[in-house]
Amino acid sequence: MALVFPREVSSKLSLSFPPCKGPHAHRQRMSNSSSITQFLLLAFTDTRELQLLHFWLFLGIYLAALLGNGLIITTIACDQHLHTPMYFFLLNLALLDLGSISITVPKSMANSLWDTRAISYTGCAVQLFLFIFLIEAEYYILTIMSYDRYVAICKPLHYGTLLGSRACVHMAAAAWATGFLNALLHTANTFSLPLCKGNALDQFFCEIPQILKLSCSDFSLRESGLVVVGVCLFFLCFVFIVLSYVQILRAVLRIPSEQGQHKAFSTCLPHLAVVSLFVSTAMFAYLKPPSISSPSLDLVVSALYSVVPPAVNPLIYSMRNQELKDALWKLVSKCFLKQ
């Protein structure tokens, strides 16, 4: 399904359309939808001082995410000892974190700095597609990482067979490809709907639920089907992760030595913490009851699941993983010694 983008028009004002009624409603809806050239994102605040505070806060978080994920990517790529399945998937996770935060935060920072709310129709579609693509791929990578830890602890003798280099590449490619396909379908379906309820979004980035609020048509069967498939995939992955960690916990508790238990936990706890942070914030963002929904709450919750995890994930992994810390220290020392 191809995306169809509207013709540019000069108006940059917030659009307000009448209800779509009567025998020519469909034609009127399409006309209204085609006249939208930009969307208005939700601003964190209207006060100039607070806008600048938001800019500097997001800049600090963004730089922390760039530094943390960049160091993990560089360390894993440069250190031969880290060329194992666990670190290969961690490399993928860092790349996805880096991409997802770069899709939303810089645009929000620019809007606060220049005191604007606008994002073009095309830019909104691209932002929506890339964000869904990267977030979904990240969730699938986290699911694969739970399988990696399960095999490493519960079936160590079969680790080389079940998680060979080719199998790891195929699993990672499947995660990226599934995220890409789902993002393409959701984005194409969302932007094919007629919009007749203005162009103001109650979010600081383009998000499907907010765009659907502007639609003047009921949910289609196609759209409902995509939602059902997405929810099923989410819960299947969630159940898989939970079952994997139940088996891991049982296996770890059977390890006789305390040192063995500590080593097993040191590789599992960071992943479990990252999964918990990602799943809890995302589930609350999308499954919270409408009765407690408000623009300010939606703004905070969306920031928690889209901005915080990419910045915090490197810290979680580096704090508990001694092998990664040693490799990072070796890399930093080598760089300073060369200078």
Side-chain angles (χ1 to χ4, degrees):
M1 186 184 301
L3 292 175
V4 180
F5 299 115
R7 292 171 288 118
E8 295 291 332
V9 295
S10 60
S11 172
K12 292 186 177 180
L13 298 175
S14 176
L15 304 177
S16 178
F17 303 117
C20 305
K21 297 180 181 178
H24 302 292
H26 179 70
R27 186 180 302 173
Q28 181 185 354
R29 288 169 182 170
M30 294 307 294
S31 174
N32 288 336
S33 182
S34 65
S35 65
I36 296 179
T37 59
Q38 66 176 12
F39 292 96
L40 298 179
L41 299 174
L42 183 65
F44 277 85
T45 177
D46 294 327
T47 308
R48 187 59 187 154
E49 290 77 11
L50 293 178
Q51 285 177 346
L52 293 176
L53 178 62
H54 159 247
F55 168 80
W56 289 111
L57 177 62
F58 264 34
L59 178 62
I61 294 174
Y62 185 53
L63 291 177
L66 287 179
L67 178 64
N69 288 291
L71 284 174
I72 284 180
I73 292 168
T74 306
T75 303
I76 295 174
C78 295
D79 195 316
Q80 293 290 331
H81 295 96
L82 300 183
H83 291 182
T84 63
M86 183 178 79
Y87 292 106
F88 171 72
F89 295 128
L90 180 56
L91 174 69
N92 279 264
L93 182 68
L95 286 169
L96 290 165
D97 276 337
L98 210 53
S100 64
I101 198 170
S102 297
I103 296 303
T104 58
V105 168
K107 177 59 179 173
S108 181
M109 287 164 51
N111 281 1
S112 290
L113 186 62
W114 302 113
D115 192 18
T116 181
R117 296 170 53 198
I119 183 171
S120 69
Y121 187 98
T122 305
C124 186
V126 171
Q127 187 184 63
L128 179 70
F129 167 75
L130 290 175
F131 184 73
I132 297 172
F133 165 40
L134 295 169
I135 285 293
E136 289 209 8
E138 179 171 342
Y139 187 52
Y140 301 140
I141 287 291
L142 287 171
T143 305
I144 294 170
M145 290 174 77
S146 69
Y147 174 70
D148 167 72
R149 292 299 83 208
Y150 164 75
V151 175
I153 293 174
C154 300
K155 299 181 181 295
L157 298 178
H158 302 284
Y159 189 77
T161 306
L162 296 175
L163 286 163
S165 57
R166 182 175 296 182
C168 291
V169 170
H170 287 170
M171 285 189 285
W176 286 77
T178 306
F180 180 89
L181 180 60
N182 284 341
L184 188 64
L185 292 173
H186 281 294
T187 305
N189 183 67
T190 300
F191 282 89
S192 67
L193 296 173
L195 308 177
C196 67
K197 295 180 181 178
N199 67 340
L201 302 176
D202 292 332
Q203 191 55 271
F204 74 95
F205 64 94
C206 290
E207 195 179 36
I208 288 179
Q210 302 303 327
I211 297 175
L212 292 181
K213 289 180 181 179
L214 306 180
S215 174
C216 47
S217 65
D218 297 328
F219 283 175
S220 63
L221 183 62
R222 177 182 57 191
E223 185 180 346
S224 301
L226 286 174
V227 171
V228 170
V229 170
V231 169
C232 288
L233 280 173
F234 178 87
F235 278 104
L236 280 175
C237 291
F238 180 71
V239 169
F240 183 86
I241 292 171
V242 170
L243 291 177
S244 296
Y245 270 95
V246 168
Q247 296 299 319
I248 288 170
L249 184 61
R250 291 173 61 185
V252 169
L253 292 177
R254 287 198 297 265
I255 296 176
S257 68
E258 263 189 48
Q259 186 177 1
Q261 289 184 353
H262 177 75
K263 186 177 180 180
F265 276 127
S266 67
T267 60
C268 291
L269 288 180
H271 177 255
L272 190 57
V274 168
V275 170
S276 301
L277 178 65
F278 181 88
V279 172
S280 59
T281 53
M283 285 182 70
F284 185 73
Y286 286 97
L287 300 180
K288 67 180 183 301
S291 58
I292 65 169
S293 182
S294 67
S296 57
L297 179 63
D298 292 345
L299 204 61
V300 172
V301 171
S302 62
L304 283 176
Y305 90 88
S306 63
V307 176
V308 174
V312 173
N313 287 353
L315 184 62
I316 294 174
Y317 272 102
S318 62
M319 281 178 64
R320 294 289 305 181
N321 194 312
Q322 189 61 44
E323 193 175 19
L324 184 62
K325 284 193 290 187
D326 292 342
L328 179 59
W329 178 252
K330 189 189 304 181
L331 179 67
V332 172
S333 302
K334 190 182 297 184
C335 290
F336 278 109
L337 285 174
K338 281 185 179 180
Q339 293 178 352

